[in-house]
């Protein structure tokens, strides 16, 4: 939680008002992945992750699944209410480079 200090000038006196600015604070709690291969899908990896928002405001974050070359394999925008968790699974095509897989959180912002 951020705090803004605002000074008001009224009739020669200075009055300070403390105003709380609520912000989300979204972090990755856990994640794992399972590889699967089939003739219809090829080689895919199911990436399951849990996000936690410990902030005082609802938030949105972009979840990006990347391979070892930092190429984007899958992405999703997640809405997380203040002080809550969200678990989701994304399917990533790993048929080209299935050696490494990673997860990144980008563009965290306050929900509208």
């Amino acid at each position: 939680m951020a705090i803004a200090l605002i000074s008001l000038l009224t009739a020669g006196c200075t009055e300070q008002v403390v105003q709380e600015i609520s912000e989300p604070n979204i972090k990755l709690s856990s994640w794992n992945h399972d590889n699967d291969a089939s003739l219809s899908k090829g080689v895919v990896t199911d990436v399951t992750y849990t996000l936690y928002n410990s902030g005082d405001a609802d938030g949105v974050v972009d979840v990006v699944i990347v391979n070892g070359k930092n190429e984007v394999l899958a992405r999703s925008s997640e809405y997380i209410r203040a002080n809550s968790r969200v678990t989701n699974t994304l399917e990533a095509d790993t048929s080209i480079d299935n050696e490494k897989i990673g997860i990144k959180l980008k563009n965290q912002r306050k929900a509208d």
Side-chain angles (χ1 to χ4, degrees), residues 9-75:
L9 297 174
T10 55
C13 343
T14 301
E15 179 183 340
Q16 293 186 339
V17 178
V18 176
Q19 178 183 18
E20 293 183 12
I21 301 172
S22 298
E23 293 292 332
N25 185 27
I26 302 167
K27 303 288 183 195
L28 184 64
S29 288
S30 64
W31 73 286
N32 62 46
H33 59 90
D34 295 313
N35 294 332
D36 188 24
S38 70
L39 291 174
S40 62
K41 290 185 177 181
V43 179
V44 295
T45 299
D46 290 328
V47 180
T48 301
Y49 54 88
T50 300
L51 304 172
Y52 179 65
N53 181 1
S54 63
D56 294 329
D58 297 349
V60 178
V61 69
D62 298 328
V63 178
V64 182
I65 309 302
V66 296
N67 63 14
K69 297 174 186 166
N70 211 29
E71 298 168 327
V72 175
L73 302 176
R75 70 173 56 232

Side-chain angles (χ1 to χ4, degrees), residues 42-44 67 69 71 73 92-100:
V43 179
V44 295
N67 63 14
K69 297 174 186 166
E71 298 168 327
L73 302 176
D93 178 2
T94 54
S95 57
I96 296 172
D97 178 11
N98 64 357
E99 291 180 20
K100 282 186 171 182

Side-chain angles (χ1 to χ4, degrees), residues 70-88:
N70 211 29
E71 298 168 327
V72 175
L73 302 176
R75 70 173 56 232
S76 177
S77 289
E78 296 287 349
Y79 172 83
I80 304 105
R81 296 184 59 84
N83 297 302
S84 66
R85 293 183 192 285
V86 168
T87 299
N88 197 6

